[in-house]
Each structure stands twice: as C-alpha cells, then as structure tokens.
Amino acid sequence: MTDAHETAADRSLRTTGGAPPDDGGPSAAEAPIPLLEPREGIPPVIADEAALARVTAAFAAGSGPVAVDAERASGYRYGQRAYLVQLRRQGAGTALIDPVACPDLSALGQALSGAEWVLHAATQDLPCLRDIGMVPTRLFDTELAGRLAGFPRVGLGAMVEGVLGFVLEKGHSAVDWSTRPLPEPWLRYAALDVELLVDLRDALEKELDRQGKLDWARQEFDAIAAAPPPEPRKEPWRRTSGMHKVRRRRQLAAVREMWEARDRIAQRRDVSPGKVLSDAAIVEAATALPPNVHALAALNGFGHRMGRRTLEQWQAAIDRARALPESALPQPGQPVTGPPPPRAWADKDPAAAARLSAARAGVSALAEELNMPQENLITPDTVRRVCWEPPKPLDAETVAAALTGYGARPWQVEQVTPVLLAALSAHP
C-alpha cells in the first residue's frame, strides 16, 4: 500500500452522509492526493495463452466485484477494437491484457460471469469487450451512478477526486493504444484507471442508498447488461460533419460515394477514416462537384501534398455521383420514424406542441427536484413520442403502459407518469 492509500484509509468517504459536492472537487482544507503508482506496482502485460490462463484462474478465485476497463485507439485505427484490457479484483490484484496477442478472452469472461463488473461509462467499453468474448451478466456503472446521484462532473478523474480524494493522472487518455510495445507511463496510467474503481463503486452505492436511488440505479445497470448489441447504423455517411452545407441530392450522392470510398481505404489500411480524408474535404468536394482532377486539387483538403493517383480516386467517386440517374440519388433527409422534429410541431399540430412544452417543463422541474439530468430521468425521444400520440383512453395506466413500451424502466415510469399525465390532460 502506498503512502497515498494509507492516508486515504483514515478518511471517511466524501459522499457518505452528505450530498454530492457542488463542484465535484475536494474542499480547500482537504487537498486531494496524487495517485502516482499502483499499490502492487505495474503488472506485466499478459500477451500469451499460458499467462492468460494463470490470470483467468487468479481472477476466478478472487472475491467481490471486478473493475474492468478497456483502451481503444480512436482517431488512430479503424473501428473501435480494444488494444488493452485492465482488470482488478480483490485477491487477484491488477491485470493488464493485450487483446491483440490474446484475441479470445471468452474463458476469462466466463470465469467472471457471476461477478459484478464495475465499469465507468459502460456503454463505451462493452462493444469492444463483447468482441473479444467478455460479456457481463451484472454490472455497476460508476459514471451513470454519478449522474443519478447528482454529481455535476462525472468523468472518472473528477469522480475519483470528488468522492475518494485522489487525483488520477489523465495525460494518456487519447494516445495511440495500438502502439507496441506500450510505454511504461501508459501502462501505469492504465493500471491506475482500475486501481480505485471498486472503492468508487462502494462509495457511490452508499450515496445512492442514502438518496433512495439505489434501486433506480440497479434497474439502469440491469438494462445496460441485458441490452443486445446495437444494430449497424443505416446510411452512416449521413453523419459526415458539415452535412448541413450539402443541399442538393447529387451533392448528397457525392458525399455518399466519397464516404464509402474512404471507409474502404481506411478499413484496408486499418487507420482512422479521418486520417485518409477529412469530413471537411468531403463536404467541400461534394458541394463544388469539380469536373476534373485539376479543379479538385484546388479545393481545401486536396492540396499539393496529395498525389495524382490519390486525387484520381476521389475524382472517380465524384464522377460516379455525377453519372447516377435521378432515381438513384439519395433523398435529402433520412426516413423518419416516429414524430416529426419538434420545431415543426407548431405548424403541424399546435395541440401536440402545447403538450410537449408542458411535458418538457414538468420533466425539467422533476429532474431538478430529484437532482439528476433530465435525460437520465426519461429520454427526450420518449417524451416526444408520448406527446405526439397520447394513449387513449388517457389515464395513469395507459401513460405508464406507453412509457414501458418505449423502454422506460419501472422507476422512471413511476416518477414520470404523473408529470406526463398532467401535461397531456391540460392540453388534450
């Protein structure tokens, strides 16, 4: 145990018996302690099957919750695969696993299937963990717990500092984790990310219980653990940054052709699509629709550093868009399911607009009373859907059924039904 750990062992947890701190930080009289080294030192990186088997056995024999984290190479590599997995459990210590050298962690995942997994912002890491065979059956999300408990800052560093009184070094959060070998400072950072995660979980559980929200949090965690993998996005090219500048259908076709060409190249090279060609360059070319390579080279993002052959591949994508018949051009907007955008409600259905306004005000007031973000109390999309097509007959039972049908958890249904019923009844 480090000096920092010994000092903190004498402290009472900051949230115990009190509300979340207003600023998420320590008091002036109780300065936070820098956490500089993992208590057992930096563990060796697990990069072969024999070492993985030993770690799997050690973690299976451990006790209590298991802290889990994963590092990706967003902005450097194609996709969102994990390049390092960190775990910590009482009786097993900390493990750092290289999922490139050990791509199948299903045996480890199975060994931990009965344990509660503690993650911070679980929905960010679960997809890449699922890809390597690690799927929790129970979890505790410390970021979501912080939101429900009313903490104003819920990043891991802010939570560890505000709740436990430690300062985590966060300088390596955006590095290229596909680098091999991983530098020692990065490994230290990675080990420290799970060092106090279970301690944070325990403190937040006490605070949620004190506020009467622990069952709410458990319902949220169960919903995350039970959620199926997200379906692939339809027409992902429409999420190109700057699409509001693209007005005509043939320009949209050019964005689509260039986006898809870029995606194929990025996947083949295993690099981030933005390193192949920026979104801004795609939008620039799509709006200009240059007739030839010379005109393309004059646009921002296609300067003198880009070779002739590379320019020709982008021009070919633009030419494909030029050659499409009108019937094959994409429509200006994505197919809309559910209610129209709220800005159109006043013209399309003034009564629905009044219902939505009243419902939003009621949800906002309730969220403030419960000291949590509105979107964690109930999703804005759910509120819009109920207000656009209120259930009939209109009563507490039908409103509750509608909320449940849209995926609201029981605690949300209980809290929000009276608010929405009042708004819908006042503006039929």
Side-chain angles (χ1 to χ4, degrees):
M1 182 177 287
T2 65
D3 291 341
H5 287 97
E6 290 173 348
T7 303
D10 295 331
R11 295 185 176 193
S12 59
L13 295 172
R14 293 178 185 274
T15 57
T16 304
D22 292 336
D23 60 358
S27 64
E30 198 173 359
I33 304 168
L35 193 62
L36 304 177
E37 289 287 338
R39 66 190 78 179
E40 297 100 9
I42 304 172
V45 177
I46 305 302
D48 62 71
E49 294 302 319
L52 178 60
R54 290 192 295 271
V55 163
T56 298
F59 273 79
S63 61
V66 54
V68 183
D69 192 19
E71 304 295 348
R72 300 177 299 278
S74 305
Y76 297 94
R77 296 288 183 176
Y78 185 85
Q80 293 296 315
R81 68 172 294 183
Y83 283 94
L84 188 70
V85 175
Q86 309 101 280
L87 304 100
R88 183 173 180 83
R89 192 179 194 188
Q90 186 175 344
T94 297
L96 304 179
I97 303 174
D98 180 358
V100 177
C102 302
D104 183 5
L105 301 187
S106 55
L108 175 61
Q110 186 62 34
L112 298 173
S113 62
E116 179 189 80
W117 296 21
V118 184
L119 300 100
H120 192 81
T123 54
Q124 295 182 19
D125 286 340
L126 288 179
C128 70
L129 290 170
R130 183 181 289 113
D131 289 344
I132 53 179
M134 295 188 66
V135 183
T137 55
R138 293 190 297 131
L139 63 83
F140 190 106
D141 186 332
T142 50
E143 185 201 49
L144 181 52
R147 292 180 183 276
L148 295 176
F151 284 84
R153 296 188 299 150
V154 292
L156 180 59
M159 292 294 290
V160 167
E161 181 176 341
V163 177
L164 302 178
F166 286 116
V167 176
L168 289 177
E169 194 276 313
K170 300 298 291 182
H172 303 299
S173 60
V175 298
D176 181 2
W177 287 96
S178 68
T179 301
R180 292 296 183 274
L182 286 165
E184 183 177 293
W186 300 11
L187 296 174
R188 179 182 296 106
Y189 159 87
L192 290 173
D193 260 6
V194 291
E195 180 83 0
L196 295 176
L197 208 49
V198 173
D199 299 81
L200 180 61
R201 171 235 179 271
D202 292 344
L204 290 172
E205 182 180 61
K206 291 179 182 178
E207 179 60 20
L208 287 167
D209 189 38
R210 189 189 69 80
Q211 294 186 25
K213 299 175 181 176
L214 184 55
D215 183 60
W216 302 359
R218 286 174 175 157
Q219 291 180 37
E220 293 299 305
F221 302 155
D222 289 345
I224 294 173
E231 295 183 4
R233 291 188 183 277
K234 294 181 179 179
E235 299 186 316
W237 59 270
R238 290 186 183 270
R239 294 178 62 84
T240 304
S241 180
M243 282 292 286
H244 62 282
K245 301 176 183 177
V246 183
R247 305 288 186 183
R248 305 201 307 271
R249 292 176 65 198
R250 199 162 298 279
Q251 293 174 334
L252 289 171
V255 171
R256 181 180 63 189
E257 293 294 334
M258 297 184 73
W259 189 98
E260 291 177 349
R262 180 183 70 173
D263 196 64
R264 290 191 295 270
I265 295 167
Q267 188 170 14
R268 186 176 70 246
R269 295 181 185 173
D270 190 18
V271 296
S272 169
K275 289 187 175 295
V276 176
L277 188 69
S278 70
D279 281 8
I282 289 178
V283 170
E284 179 92 2
T287 52
L289 290 174
N292 52 50
V293 168
H294 179 73
L296 178 64
L299 300 178
N300 290 332
F302 300 90
H304 63 280
R305 294 184 179 180
M306 192 172 287
R308 174 83 183 187
R309 185 175 177 181
T310 304
L311 285 168
E312 286 175 348
Q313 73 184 1
W314 301 126
Q315 185 63 46
I318 295 168
D319 291 343
R320 287 195 296 273
R322 284 179 172 279
L324 288 173
E326 287 287 328
S327 60
L329 297 177
Q331 294 300 320
Q334 292 177 286
V336 176
T337 58
R343 62 179 178 274
W345 286 30
D347 292 330
K348 290 179 178 291
D349 190 337
R355 290 193 294 268
L356 181 61
S357 178
R360 282 174 164 174
V363 168
S364 176
L366 179 58
E368 185 173 351
E369 179 185 335
L370 296 174
N371 192 27
M372 69 172 64
Q374 294 180 44
E375 63 271 18
N376 292 114
L377 174 59
I378 193 72
T379 67
D381 181 67
T382 297
V383 174
R384 286 194 294 269
R385 289 174 183 271
V386 173
C387 289
W388 183 251
E389 292 188 31
K392 294 178 182 179
L394 184 61
D395 56 37
E397 186 176 343
T398 58
V399 171
L403 291 173
T404 301
Y406 291 129
R409 265 68 71 191
W411 76 269
Q412 295 175 312
V413 174
E414 180 182 2
Q415 294 295 320
V416 174
T417 292
V419 172
L420 290 188
L421 180 60
L424 298 174
S425 300
H427 302 278

